[in-house]
Amino acid sequence: MNHTKEQILARCNEFSKNTLMETLKIEYIDAGEDFLTAKMPVNPSVHQPMGLLHGGASVALAESVGSAASFFFINPKEQEVRGIEISANHLKSIREGYVFGTARIIHKGRSLHLWEIKITDEEGNLVSLCKLTNMVLDRKKSE
């Protein structure tokens, strides 16, 4: 990544406006050479009927942070990122507080990026373990 931590976080939080990430109140909070971290509040707006964090909200956090991380390994003027596969194992339930999604690169190819995203609670306990595959596409040239 050829960007400062502050630039990465500002860019991620800016392009989250008016999206699902804003709806879920996902905020990007940390970044490094091989990782990106975001947090999401756990409250009734992301609960399933039993009052627990909905697995779909966890997956939305994972895909958001993994896709955003891939963005910093491409040339955004010439390329785009598309998530093509995601899997999640939900290991612990949570009712309130925050969860943190940290994406770490496993494979950085020219056309595919593979990420491991660990979602943890405020005490660092593993809530979900996700794997995301992103495809890097060339942008279509304007005529």
Side-chain angles (χ1 to χ4, degrees):
M1 291 188 201
N2 296 327
H3 309 278
T4 68
K5 174 181 169 176
E6 293 75 21
Q7 289 172 324
I8 292 168
L9 299 177
R11 183 88 187 255
C12 289
N13 287 314
E14 179 63 28
F15 67 54
S16 293
K17 291 182 179 175
N18 300 312
T19 68
L20 178 64
M21 287 82 78
E22 184 175 65
T23 300
L24 295 176
K25 297 184 178 12
I26 292 171
E27 178 186 357
Y28 294 89
I29 60 168
D30 199 8
E33 282 299 312
D34 69 342
F35 77 94
L36 180 64
T37 300
K39 72 177 183 176
M40 180 178 72
V42 179
N43 56 46
S45 70
V46 294
H47 282 170
Q48 41 91 311
M50 299 299 294
L52 303 170
L53 174 62
H54 193 291
S58 295
V59 171
L61 172 60
E63 184 155 358
S64 297
V65 74
S67 293
S70 273
F71 184 80
F72 291 97
F73 289 126
I74 66 166
N75 177 346
K77 293 178 182 174
E78 297 177 8
Q79 299 171 304
E80 299 177 321
V81 173
R82 295 285 185 275
I84 60 171
E85 182 178 11
I86 189 163
S87 65
N89 293 100
H90 305 299
L91 306 169
K92 182 181 185 321
S93 57
I94 181 171
R95 293 181 184 277
E96 60 186 11
Y98 283 89
V99 286
F100 301 85
T102 299
R104 291 193 182 278
I105 192 79
I106 296 171
H107 172 76
K108 184 182 74 158
R110 285 186 311 231
S111 60
L112 290 177
H113 295 170
L114 179 61
W115 294 92
E116 176 186 74
I117 301 100
K118 289 184 177 179
I119 299 176
T120 58
D121 64 16
E122 292 173 281
E123 287 78 42
N125 299 308
L126 190 59
V127 174
S128 296
L129 181 62
C130 306
K131 185 177 73 172
L132 172 66
T133 305
N134 289 328
M135 182 171 33
V136 178
L137 300 170
D138 290 332
R139 283 189 180 270
K140 294 186 178 167
K141 306 265 190 251
S142 315
E143 293 182 33

PDB file of all heavy atoms in Angstrom, residues 24 29 31 47 61 64 68 98 118 121 126 131 138 142:
ATOM      1  N   LEU A  24     -25.037   0.341   8.543  1.00  0.00           N
ATOM      2  CA  LEU A  24     -24.600  -0.541   9.632  1.00  0.00           C
ATOM      3  C   LEU A  24     -23.655   0.168  10.599  1.00  0.00           C
ATOM      4  O   LEU A  24     -23.207  -0.436  11.569  1.00  0.00           O
ATOM      5  CB  LEU A  24     -23.928  -1.788   9.065  1.00  0.00           C
ATOM      6  CG  LEU A  24     -24.819  -2.709   8.243  1.00  0.00           C
ATOM      7  CD1 LEU A  24     -24.005  -3.856   7.653  1.00  0.00           C
ATOM      8  CD2 LEU A  24     -25.984  -3.225   9.063  1.00  0.00           C
ATOM      9  N   ILE A  29     -11.021   1.890  11.305  1.00  0.00           N
ATOM     10  CA  ILE A  29     -10.291   2.447  12.449  1.00  0.00           C
ATOM     11  C   ILE A  29      -8.794   2.170  12.463  1.00  0.00           C
ATOM     12  O   ILE A  29      -8.064   2.826  13.201  1.00  0.00           O
ATOM     13  CB  ILE A  29     -10.904   1.966  13.782  1.00  0.00           C
ATOM     14  CG1 ILE A  29     -10.858   0.447  13.881  1.00  0.00           C
ATOM     15  CG2 ILE A  29     -12.334   2.496  13.940  1.00  0.00           C
ATOM     16  CD1 ILE A  29     -11.167  -0.096  15.275  1.00  0.00           C
ATOM     17  N   ALA A  31      -5.211   0.512   9.985  1.00  0.00           N
ATOM     18  CA  ALA A  31      -4.711  -0.014   8.719  1.00  0.00           C
ATOM     19  C   ALA A  31      -3.205  -0.185   8.819  1.00  0.00           C
ATOM     20  O   ALA A  31      -2.530   0.515   9.581  1.00  0.00           O
ATOM     21  CB  ALA A  31      -5.047   0.936   7.571  1.00  0.00           C
ATOM     22  N   HIS A  47     -29.440  -7.140  15.043  1.00  0.00           N
ATOM     23  CA  HIS A  47     -29.803  -8.394  15.708  1.00  0.00           C
ATOM     24  C   HIS A  47     -30.676  -9.262  14.809  1.00  0.00           C
ATOM     25  O   HIS A  47     -31.405  -8.767  13.954  1.00  0.00           O
ATOM     26  CB  HIS A  47     -30.608  -8.121  16.980  1.00  0.00           C
ATOM     27  CG  HIS A  47     -29.779  -7.681  18.139  1.00  0.00           C
ATOM     28  ND1 HIS A  47     -30.348  -7.211  19.291  1.00  0.00           N
ATOM     29  CD2 HIS A  47     -28.438  -7.642  18.339  1.00  0.00           C
ATOM     30  CE1 HIS A  47     -29.396  -6.900  20.160  1.00  0.00           C
ATOM     31  NE2 HIS A  47     -28.223  -7.149  19.595  1.00  0.00           N
ATOM     32  N   LEU A  61     -19.948  -6.918   7.325  1.00  0.00           N
ATOM     33  CA  LEU A  61     -18.734  -6.292   7.859  1.00  0.00           C
ATOM     34  C   LEU A  61     -17.503  -6.911   7.207  1.00  0.00           C
ATOM     35  O   LEU A  61     -16.605  -6.198   6.753  1.00  0.00           O
ATOM     36  CB  LEU A  61     -18.674  -6.456   9.379  1.00  0.00           C
ATOM     37  CG  LEU A  61     -17.374  -6.024  10.065  1.00  0.00           C
ATOM     38  CD1 LEU A  61     -17.077  -4.547   9.833  1.00  0.00           C
ATOM     39  CD2 LEU A  61     -17.439  -6.348  11.560  1.00  0.00           C
ATOM     40  N   SER A  64     -17.184  -5.901   3.532  1.00  0.00           N
ATOM     41  CA  SER A  64     -16.858  -4.473   3.439  1.00  0.00           C
ATOM     42  C   SER A  64     -15.378  -4.231   3.687  1.00  0.00           C
ATOM     43  O   SER A  64     -14.712  -3.533   2.915  1.00  0.00           O
ATOM     44  CB  SER A  64     -17.690  -3.677   4.448  1.00  0.00           C
ATOM     45  OG  SER A  64     -19.060  -3.790   4.158  1.00  0.00           O
ATOM     46  N   ALA A  68     -12.666  -3.292   0.748  1.00  0.00           N
ATOM     47  CA  ALA A  68     -11.983  -2.003   0.876  1.00  0.00           C
ATOM     48  C   ALA A  68     -10.470  -2.197   0.893  1.00  0.00           C
ATOM     49  O   ALA A  68      -9.732  -1.423   0.279  1.00  0.00           O
ATOM     50  CB  ALA A  68     -12.445  -1.287   2.139  1.00  0.00           C
ATOM     51  N   TYR A  98     -19.363  -3.758  20.506  1.00  0.00           N
ATOM     52  CA  TYR A  98     -18.809  -3.593  19.168  1.00  0.00           C
ATOM     53  C   TYR A  98     -18.164  -4.893  18.716  1.00  0.00           C
ATOM     54  O   TYR A  98     -17.670  -5.662  19.536  1.00  0.00           O
ATOM     55  CB  TYR A  98     -17.721  -2.499  19.140  1.00  0.00           C
ATOM     56  CG  TYR A  98     -18.275  -1.103  19.166  1.00  0.00           C
ATOM     57  CD1 TYR A  98     -18.520  -0.455  20.367  1.00  0.00           C
ATOM     58  CD2 TYR A  98     -18.558  -0.430  17.980  1.00  0.00           C
ATOM     59  CE1 TYR A  98     -19.035   0.830  20.391  1.00  0.00           C
ATOM     60  CE2 TYR A  98     -19.073   0.854  18.000  1.00  0.00           C
ATOM     61  CZ  TYR A  98     -19.306   1.479  19.204  1.00  0.00           C
ATOM     62  OH  TYR A  98     -19.818   2.748  19.220  1.00  0.00           O
ATOM     63  N   LYS A 118     -11.083 -11.792  10.416  1.00  0.00           N
ATOM     64  CA  LYS A 118     -11.447 -12.238  11.759  1.00  0.00           C
ATOM     65  C   LYS A 118     -12.321 -11.163  12.379  1.00  0.00           C
ATOM     66  O   LYS A 118     -11.943  -9.986  12.424  1.00  0.00           O
ATOM     67  CB  LYS A 118     -10.208 -12.464  12.621  1.00  0.00           C
ATOM     68  CG  LYS A 118      -9.410 -13.679  12.196  1.00  0.00           C
ATOM     69  CD  LYS A 118      -8.246 -13.931  13.134  1.00  0.00           C
ATOM     70  CE  LYS A 118      -7.513 -15.195  12.712  1.00  0.00           C
ATOM     71  NZ  LYS A 118      -6.351 -15.457  13.583  1.00  0.00           N
ATOM     72  N   ASP A 121     -14.839  -9.636  19.327  1.00  0.00           N
ATOM     73  CA  ASP A 121     -15.571  -8.735  20.216  1.00  0.00           C
ATOM     74  C   ASP A 121     -14.584  -7.789  20.900  1.00  0.00           C
ATOM     75  O   ASP A 121     -13.378  -7.795  20.596  1.00  0.00           O
ATOM     76  CB  ASP A 121     -16.434  -9.520  21.217  1.00  0.00           C
ATOM     77  CG  ASP A 121     -15.631 -10.382  22.182  1.00  0.00           C
ATOM     78  OD1 ASP A 121     -14.401 -10.185  22.323  1.00  0.00           O
ATOM     79  OD2 ASP A 121     -16.245 -11.266  22.825  1.00  0.00           O
ATOM     80  N   LEU A 126     -12.852 -14.395  19.316  1.00  0.00           N
ATOM     81  CA  LEU A 126     -13.239 -14.620  17.929  1.00  0.00           C
ATOM     82  C   LEU A 126     -14.736 -14.884  17.841  1.00  0.00           C
ATOM     83  O   LEU A 126     -15.252 -15.813  18.453  1.00  0.00           O
ATOM     84  CB  LEU A 126     -12.453 -15.798  17.349  1.00  0.00           C
ATOM     85  CG  LEU A 126     -12.560 -16.030  15.856  1.00  0.00           C
ATOM     86  CD1 LEU A 126     -12.085 -14.812  15.056  1.00  0.00           C
ATOM     87  CD2 LEU A 126     -11.755 -17.269  15.471  1.00  0.00           C
ATOM     88  N   LYS A 131     -13.654 -15.846   5.020  1.00  0.00           N
ATOM     89  CA  LYS A 131     -12.699 -15.855   3.918  1.00  0.00           C
ATOM     90  C   LYS A 131     -13.390 -15.199   2.729  1.00  0.00           C
ATOM     91  O   LYS A 131     -14.525 -15.533   2.406  1.00  0.00           O
ATOM     92  CB  LYS A 131     -12.293 -17.290   3.586  1.00  0.00           C
ATOM     93  CG  LYS A 131     -11.221 -17.394   2.526  1.00  0.00           C
ATOM     94  CD  LYS A 131     -10.810 -18.833   2.299  1.00  0.00           C
ATOM     95  CE  LYS A 131     -11.909 -19.536   1.546  1.00  0.00           C
ATOM     96  NZ  LYS A 131     -11.571 -20.885   1.107  1.00  0.00           N
ATOM     97  N   ASP A 138     -10.386  -5.038 -15.018  1.00  0.00           N
ATOM     98  CA  ASP A 138     -10.040  -3.814 -15.717  1.00  0.00           C
ATOM     99  C   ASP A 138     -11.301  -2.984 -15.883  1.00  0.00           C
ATOM    100  O   ASP A 138     -12.360  -3.518 -16.209  1.00  0.00           O
ATOM    101  CB  ASP A 138      -9.432  -4.112 -17.095  1.00  0.00           C
ATOM    102  CG  ASP A 138      -8.051  -4.730 -16.986  1.00  0.00           C
ATOM    103  OD1 ASP A 138      -7.344  -4.467 -15.992  1.00  0.00           O
ATOM    104  OD2 ASP A 138      -7.697  -5.490 -17.900  1.00  0.00           O
ATOM    105  N   SER A 142     -14.144   4.353 -21.461  1.00  0.00           N
ATOM    106  CA  SER A 142     -15.232   5.200 -21.946  1.00  0.00           C
ATOM    107  C   SER A 142     -14.997   5.512 -23.415  1.00  0.00           C
ATOM    108  O   SER A 142     -13.873   5.720 -23.848  1.00  0.00           O
ATOM    109  CB  SER A 142     -15.297   6.507 -21.175  1.00  0.00           C
ATOM    110  OG  SER A 142     -15.171   6.310 -19.822  1.00  0.00           O
TER     111      SER A 142
END
